[in-house]
C-alpha cells in the first residue's frame, strides 16, 4: 500500500526553524519530482517547493526562497524541508507529494498523484 507520511510539524515562534520529513513506503521517489505544498485555513493549497529526481534541481515559491530548503534521500525514500526564519503567515498544513511523471509541471497540485496526510505547522508572533 502506497503511503507518504509527513512528520516534524509543530508550534514555533516567529523567526524559528522546523525541519519536515516525508517518508514513503510502497511507492518510489526516484525518477519523479517530489514536492511540498501547504494549505492554510480558508485558502487554496499552494506550492512550496519541489525537487527533481536526481536532487540536482530545486524550485521554490517566491515567498520561500532563501528561507526554505528542500532535499531528498532516494536511498531512504525520504523528502525533507528545512524551514528557517518562519513567519506567522507560514502557518498551514504542509503536505508532501510525488509527481505523476518524471517531467510533470512541479508547480501544480494536479500534477501529483500520491499525497501524505499533512503535518501542521503553526508559527506564533
Amino acid at each position: 500500500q502506497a503511503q507518504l507520511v509527513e512528520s516534524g510539524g509543530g508550534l514555533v515562534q516567529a523567526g524559528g526553524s522546523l525541519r519536515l520529513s516525508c517518508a514513503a513506503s510502497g511507492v518510489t521517489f526516484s525518477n519523479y519530482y517530489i514536492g511540498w505544498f501547504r494549505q492554510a485555513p480558508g485558502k487554496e493549497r499552494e506550492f512550496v517547493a519541489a525537487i527533481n529526481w536526481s536532487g540536482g534541481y530545486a524550485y521554490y515559491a517566491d515567498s520561500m526562497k532563501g528561507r526554505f530548503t528542500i532535499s531528498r534521500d532516494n536511498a531512504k525514500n525520504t523528502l525533507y524541508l528545512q524551514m528557517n526564519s518562519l513567519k506567522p503567515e507560514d502557518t498551514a498544513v504542509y503536505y508532501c507529494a510525488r509527481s505523476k511523471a518524471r517531467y510533470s509541471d512541479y508547480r501544480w497540485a494536479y500534477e501529483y498523484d500520491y499525497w501524505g496526510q499533512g503535518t501542521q505547522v503553526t508559527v506564533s508572533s
Side-chain angles (χ1 to χ4, degrees):
Q1 180 179 356
Q3 193 174 16
L4 304 182
V5 179
E6 301 96 337
S7 61
L11 174 64
V12 64
Q13 288 189 332
S17 299
L18 284 174
R19 188 191 194 210
L20 306 184
S21 298
C22 172
S25 59
V27 58
T28 182
F29 272 173
S30 57
N31 294 316
Y32 295 90
Y33 277 100
I34 41 178
W36 291 96
F37 287 76
R38 70 185 186 185
Q39 188 165 18
K43 295 187 177 181
E44 293 186 354
R45 191 167 297 191
E46 66 171 342
F47 171 72
V48 172
I51 190 166
N52 77 327
W53 50 92
S54 68
Y57 294 93
Y59 307 91
Y60 300 91
D62 287 344
S63 61
M64 288 72 166
K65 288 179 182 177
R67 300 190 300 124
F68 291 8
T69 303
I70 189 172
S71 60
R72 64 190 294 168
D73 186 333
N74 284 342
K76 294 182 178 179
N77 235 18
T78 302
L79 174 69
Y80 304 97
L81 184 69
Q82 178 67 43
M83 304 186 295
N84 299 328
S85 302
L86 283 162
K87 305 174 182 180
E89 52 263 43
D90 294 318
T91 295
V93 177
Y94 284 71
Y95 300 89
C96 66
R98 195 203 75 173
S99 68
K100 293 178 180 178
R102 185 170 183 173
Y103 296 104
S104 296
D105 189 330
Y106 57 84
R107 298 168 295 174
W108 308 111
Y110 59 77
E111 294 282 358
Y112 294 77
D113 55 1
Y114 289 101
W115 290 83
Q117 82 291 346
T119 185
Q120 176 71 46
V121 171
T122 303
V123 184
S124 63
S125 57

